[in-house]
Amino acid sequence: MLFKQKNFLVNKIKLFFDKLNRHTKIIIAIIIDSFCFLFSVWLSLSLFSGELHKIDYLFLHLISILFLLAIPVFLACRLYKHIFRYFSLDGLYELFKAVFIYSTIVLIILLFLDKQLFSINFFIMHSLLFIIMGSSVRILFNYFYTNYTNVGNGRTVMVYGAGMAGRQIAAALQFNNLFLVKGFFDDNPKLQGLRMAGWKIYNPNRIEKIVKDKGITDIIIAIPSLSNLERQRILKSLEKIDVNVKTLPNINKILSGEMRVTDLL
């Protein structure tokens, strides 16, 4: 009962965000970053002073200066063109770039001001803390979307094979609201337990339990190099499980546009 209530709640949150237009999502992202920014400044001051820093006039004056410098730089760097739910290394690079430019501008200004206003060491710590907080929020949001939402009457999918073809299939399905990829199965023990683009790679020996626990409706076998004997072995292991099984055709047909990924399901 508790599990169903949790799924209902997270799905309501997902639907709420999905219905928002792009501009509203950008505003929410800026508000979240603003809280991270303010907290990183306060935490840096507290760490340097060895006690909780008071929120007084000087603090508000300092935060106003830094904030008015940061937000225009972040907007100019197009930091918010990256959608939180699809946050990846590209998004992390953009975050680093935006903070680096902001830091460079402030450090140049510091050269012409009294350094007693705030130390360079404090500013470096503040910048690093903001990067950690900002990236953490984005990663957590991506993880939430990948692992704790469902698609109502749609389908939840596991991909068998964490190689190039499997990653391409998962990435393609990620942008379709009718499908939710829950992870990968792979026979390689070196990959099992790792995460790829936010999706966990599972041991195929746990298929039956994972299908039941995660409510999986479809499994796509995405290993083009499989021999007929290996394919039959995998298909036989899935016979007793209540799940739709599809085998990936030639990946070039999908890449060339001759076939869509959703045609498999």
Side-chain angles (χ1 to χ4, degrees), residues 1-258:
M1 181 67 178
L2 183 61
F3 179 75
K4 289 183 178 180
Q5 290 178 341
K6 178 183 176 182
N7 275 349
F8 176 77
L9 177 62
V10 296
N11 197 47
K12 292 289 284 185
I13 295 173
K14 176 183 179 295
L15 289 174
F16 169 76
F17 279 105
D18 285 344
K19 290 178 181 178
L20 297 177
N21 60 49
R22 180 67 181 142
H23 294 295
T24 304
K25 290 178 180 178
I26 290 175
I27 292 172
I28 292 174
I30 292 174
I31 291 173
I32 292 172
D33 275 353
S34 299
F35 277 108
C36 291
F37 186 89
L38 296 174
F39 186 67
S40 67
V41 173
W42 176 83
L43 184 57
S44 299
L45 289 171
S46 298
L47 291 173
F48 267 95
S49 63
E51 59 183 7
L52 297 180
H53 192 80
K54 294 181 180 179
I55 301 178
D56 52 16
Y57 172 78
L58 289 177
F59 172 79
L60 294 176
H61 181 67
L62 172 62
I63 204 71
S64 299
I65 295 173
L66 295 177
F67 190 75
L68 290 175
L69 287 171
I71 293 301
V73 171
F74 294 166
L75 290 172
C77 291
R78 301 183 68 188
L79 179 60
Y80 303 104
K81 71 176 182 178
H82 291 272
I83 304 173
F84 273 28
R85 65 179 289 189
Y86 302 125
F87 184 68
S88 62
L89 288 177
D90 288 338
L92 186 60
Y93 167 74
E94 293 295 336
L95 178 62
F96 269 100
K97 184 177 74 173
V99 175
F100 175 78
I101 294 174
Y102 154 71
S103 303
T104 302
I105 292 173
V106 175
L107 289 175
I108 291 173
I109 293 174
L110 272 178
L111 295 175
F112 300 96
L113 294 178
D114 183 0
K115 293 183 181 179
Q116 291 182 351
L117 180 63
F118 51 90
S119 70
I120 293 178
N121 289 336
F122 149 75
F123 182 73
I124 292 174
M125 178 176 286
H126 146 60
S127 299
L128 290 175
L129 285 174
F130 176 72
I131 289 174
I132 293 172
M133 293 176 189
S135 58
S136 296
V137 168
R138 288 160 169 78
I139 291 170
L140 286 172
F141 200 85
N142 176 274
Y143 181 81
F144 166 79
Y145 251 87
T146 304
N147 295 275
Y148 292 103
T149 57
N150 58 63
V151 288
N153 296 324
R155 299 180 182 182
T156 51
V157 180
M158 292 289 291
V159 179
Y160 199 121
M164 180 65 72
R167 295 196 298 270
Q168 290 173 333
I169 290 295
L173 290 175
Q174 185 182 21
F175 293 94
N176 192 314
N177 289 329
L178 296 178
F179 303 95
L180 179 65
V181 179
K182 288 287 190 175
F184 296 94
F185 292 116
D186 200 280
D187 293 311
N188 188 345
K190 293 181 180 180
L191 296 178
Q192 293 165 8
L194 301 179
R195 287 189 176 274
M196 185 180 297
W199 291 299
K200 189 172 182 178
I201 303 173
Y202 295 91
N203 188 328
N205 293 334
R206 299 178 56 203
I207 284 182
E208 189 169 359
K209 182 178 186 305
I210 291 170
V211 166
K212 182 178 179 181
D213 292 347
K214 294 183 176 293
I216 303 302
T217 59
D218 299 84
I219 293 178
I220 302 176
I221 301 175
I223 312 176
S225 60
L226 273 180
S227 66
N228 288 332
L229 185 62
E230 291 172 323
R231 184 177 286 104
Q232 290 303 317
R233 175 184 62 80
I234 294 174
L235 291 173
K236 188 174 182 180
S237 69
L238 298 173
E239 283 180 353
K240 297 180 181 180
I241 303 175
D242 185 19
V243 65
N244 298 317
V245 180
K246 300 291 182 180
T247 303
L248 180 69
N250 190 330
I251 190 66
N252 291 327
K253 290 185 178 180
I254 295 176
L255 296 177
S256 65
E258 292 180 37

